[in-house]
Amino acid sequence: METLWKMVFYILNFTVYLFLIWWVVNKYLVATMVAASLEYWIFFFVIILLAVSSVGYWVAHYFWNSGYWGMFFKNMGIFLLALFVLVNKEVIETGSSDFCKRGKVFEWYMGISSPKYYSIVNIKTELLYPNGSKTVYDEYIYANSDWGNAQRSIGSSDKQEIPTKLHAKWLSYREGENGQLYEGTFDLPYDMILNLFRNGYIYQYTDSEIVKDEYTGISVGLAPGGVVALWVSGSHRRVQVGCWIADKLSADDELFASWGGQKKRVERLRSTDSYDNIPDHIKNKPIGQWEKYNQTYPYRYNVSFVDSEPESLLIETHYYNGERFQSGIDDTVIRSKACPKKITLIWKKGDDEYFACIQFEETYLFRSFEQMVVAPSFELCFAVNKGSNFIDCFLQGDGKRIELPDEYRKIKIFRNHKMVYGNYSQEGIEFWGEGYLY
């Protein structure tokens, strides 16, 4: 019994000592290990605590019959462990972070997106989690960016679970005379989202540097026609993981009673933004257009240079379905993807760095892509001329070629930050799409 009490004493003593060391030496490490997983915490506690304390005590007690030697060996073990943590701080942090990724808790923020010029009022957006809890976002969100870009980041990037369900209710106040209410609850592709957060993504940072990065955000898109989209995003990539259609609701004057009813609320909202000043060919999109944006095609990019290949080439694409890819690797491989909305090419030749931004007229581009689906796969080609101050664009595949002429494209080319080509008016850019070339 005396031996048992000694063991209890030494174990408790060691526990307090160890926690104090962790708190002082590496506060972040403590939080990470506790948050990572209960199973790992139990494993760490049992292996380190019992092994070091028990072995140290039993060696001293049974070989030297002295509790003082047990205390000596215990304290030596503690100091060696503290020294190990200090010396290997960065390695341990990385390892514990990697373990956290293998779990189900990640750092991410929440955002809400709506199409440019198609403002909405977010009445309530809820994310529901596996443990039954939920996060509710009661925010007014106005369109000031592009489809897929989070209009507003909500909350901080805290460690939290991946949601399993989404509930959204919003007012699309640019639809009809009195706006249109939508509501829906959707099951999220949990395993798909979890794997994206666990694995991250690889992109080409420079001509010689391949970098692995993490996904850090989840964005909900709310569009006319009741379209609901969900993206997982990182600094250089945004991937659509789901798209659904919400149910239409009847006008609800009680919901907007403080504004004098739904009609009054819509009139007030419409009077405070600049939507009425936008040309009709931009703002009068068919309601089903955002569903059409999800159509994918098997194609890749083919960038060629008349004189010589560049020393490096990077490609960034914003797609009509809200996705974004920044990598020369992904976009030169045939894969099924949506129509490109804006393409950026960056290349180097000698001491000169070139930057080109390309955007196509929406209707013509979609019609051209539809004509190419007869081919198993095809290429969107960019032929850069000898002076790197003009780019010819066309589609080709299976012996078929479709030109994308000047009247259906807008291009800007810069050399060392100075524009060398631009086929549209510098003032008041007008374009069939949303016209955000820079």
Side-chain angles (χ1 to χ4, degrees):
M1 182 62 68
E2 180 182 354
T3 301
L4 178 61
W5 281 114
K6 284 184 178 181
M7 287 183 62
V8 172
F9 168 76
Y10 285 129
I11 289 173
L12 290 176
N13 183 272
F14 180 82
T15 303
V16 174
Y17 205 158
L18 194 58
F19 268 104
L20 287 175
I21 289 175
W22 277 343
W23 186 260
V24 174
V25 173
N26 198 333
K27 181 179 178 181
Y28 174 76
L29 178 62
V30 178
T32 303
M33 286 183 172
V34 172
S37 108
L38 180 62
E39 293 81 9
Y40 182 73
W41 175 245
I42 294 174
F43 173 80
F44 185 88
F45 187 91
V46 171
I47 295 300
I48 300 300
L49 177 64
L50 295 185
V52 175
S53 293
S54 300
V55 172
Y57 175 82
W58 284 107
V59 167
H61 186 73
Y62 284 99
F63 285 89
W64 286 277
N65 195 27
S66 171
Y68 293 103
W69 279 106
M71 183 69 74
F72 171 77
F73 277 106
K74 175 184 70 69
N75 285 325
M76 284 299 295
I78 291 173
F79 283 114
L80 288 174
L81 179 61
L83 182 62
F84 175 80
V85 171
L86 280 172
V87 174
N88 297 279
K89 179 176 181 292
E90 185 174 342
V91 175
I92 294 174
E93 282 185 354
T94 303
S96 61
S97 178
D98 287 343
F99 185 88
C100 186
K101 291 176 190 175
R102 294 195 296 274
K104 299 178 180 180
V105 179
F106 307 89
E107 289 187 5
W108 57 273
Y109 66 89
M110 166 68 179
I112 294 181
S113 172
S114 60
K116 194 171 185 179
Y117 309 130
Y118 293 87
S119 308
I120 61 112
V121 174
N122 172 49
I123 297 169
K124 179 178 288 187
T125 298
E126 297 177 308
L127 293 177
L128 292 84
Y129 301 94
N131 61 7
S133 64
K134 64 181 179 180
T135 305
V136 181
Y137 304 101
D138 295 309
E139 297 254 354
Y140 290 111
I141 306 295
Y142 303 101
N144 59 5
S145 189
D146 198 33
W147 182 236
N149 288 342
Q151 302 291 311
R152 181 182 300 177
S153 296
I154 302 172
S156 59
S157 297
D158 296 326
K159 284 189 172 68
Q160 48 193 331
E161 288 188 271
I162 300 300
T164 56
K165 285 182 179 292
L166 164 68
H167 173 261
K169 184 176 182 180
W170 78 99
L171 171 66
S172 179
Y173 69 81
R174 282 298 170 187
E175 289 187 56
E177 183 179 353
N178 300 321
Q180 178 61 56
L181 278 170
Y182 293 99
E183 185 173 20
T185 301
F186 314 98
D187 292 323
L188 302 183
Y190 177 81
D191 290 337
M192 179 181 180
I193 299 172
L194 183 63
N195 286 332
L196 287 173
F197 273 94
R198 280 178 173 174
N199 299 327
Y201 62 93
I202 295 174
Y203 73 99
Q204 191 171 337
Y205 182 67
T206 65
D207 55 319
S208 60
E209 187 176 3
I210 306 297
V211 178
K212 183 175 181 180
D213 207 348
E214 301 174 1
Y215 290 102
T216 55
I218 294 177
S219 299
V220 176
L222 306 173
V227 174
V228 179
L230 192 80
W231 299 275
V232 173
S233 59
S235 300
H236 305 277
R237 182 166 297 184
R238 184 167 56 243
V239 180
Q240 188 186 79
V241 296
C243 189
W244 309 271
I245 301 295
D247 297 324
K248 281 187 176 183
L249 301 180
S250 300
D252 190 344
D253 289 332
E254 184 177 345
L255 182 63
F256 301 99
S258 61
W259 297 89
Q262 182 170 318
K263 184 176 181 179
K264 292 289 187 182
R265 178 62 172 140
V266 169
E267 289 175 353
R268 173 72 173 175
L269 288 165
R270 290 180 177 180
S271 68
T272 57
D273 64 27
S274 58
Y275 182 84
D276 292 330
N277 298 324
I278 301 166
D280 289 340
H281 66 270
I282 293 178
K283 66 183 182 182
N284 293 331
K285 283 188 177 183
I287 292 299
Q289 195 72 359
W290 285 271
E291 288 184 81
K292 180 182 177 181
Y293 289 160
N294 290 321
Q295 177 65 44
T296 58
Y297 306 87
Y299 71 98
R300 69 177 179 183
Y301 294 153
N302 183 346
V303 185
S304 61
F305 295 81
V306 173
D307 48 359
S308 60
E309 291 298 314
E311 298 167 14
S312 64
L313 172 64
L314 298 178
I315 304 173
E316 177 178 349
T317 306
H318 291 252
Y319 295 92
Y320 272 99
N321 68 348
E323 290 188 317
R324 176 195 176 205
F325 280 78
Q326 180 176 334
S327 174
I329 299 173
D330 296 289
D331 291 320
T332 54
V333 175
I334 292 177
R335 62 183 178 88
S336 187
K337 49 194 174 185
C339 275
K341 187 169 189 176
K342 183 184 73 171
I343 303 148
T344 301
L345 307 178
I346 303 173
W347 69 94
K348 291 179 70 175
K349 282 191 173 183
D351 296 330
D352 295 324
E353 183 174 65
Y354 294 86
F355 174 97
C357 187
I358 306 166
Q359 187 177 358
F360 299 102
E361 191 273 317
E362 181 177 330
T363 303
Y364 184 82
L365 182 68
F366 272 86
R367 185 167 66 244
S368 300
F369 267 61
E370 289 294 336
Q371 294 174 15
M372 293 300 299
V373 295
V374 295
S377 63
F378 59 94
E379 296 178 330
L380 174 51
C381 301
F382 304 98
V384 184
N385 71 345
K386 186 175 182 179
S388 289
N389 57 8
F390 183 78
I391 301 176
D392 190 22
C393 308
F394 55 92
L395 298 174
Q396 69 175 14
D398 201 25
K400 187 173 185 176
R401 173 168 169 149
I402 298 178
E403 297 292 337
L404 302 172
D406 260 6
E407 58 266 34
Y408 295 112
R409 69 180 184 222
K410 298 296 180 183
I411 301 178
K412 261 189 176 183
I413 304 175
F414 294 84
R415 180 176 63 239
N416 301 328
H417 308 291
K418 182 178 180 181
M419 192 171 74
V420 295
Y421 178 80
N423 69 333
Y424 59 89
S425 171
Q426 288 291 327
E427 297 181 2
I429 300 173
E430 291 187 3
F431 198 57
W432 303 269
E434 294 176 10
Y436 57 35
L437 280 173
Y438 39 41

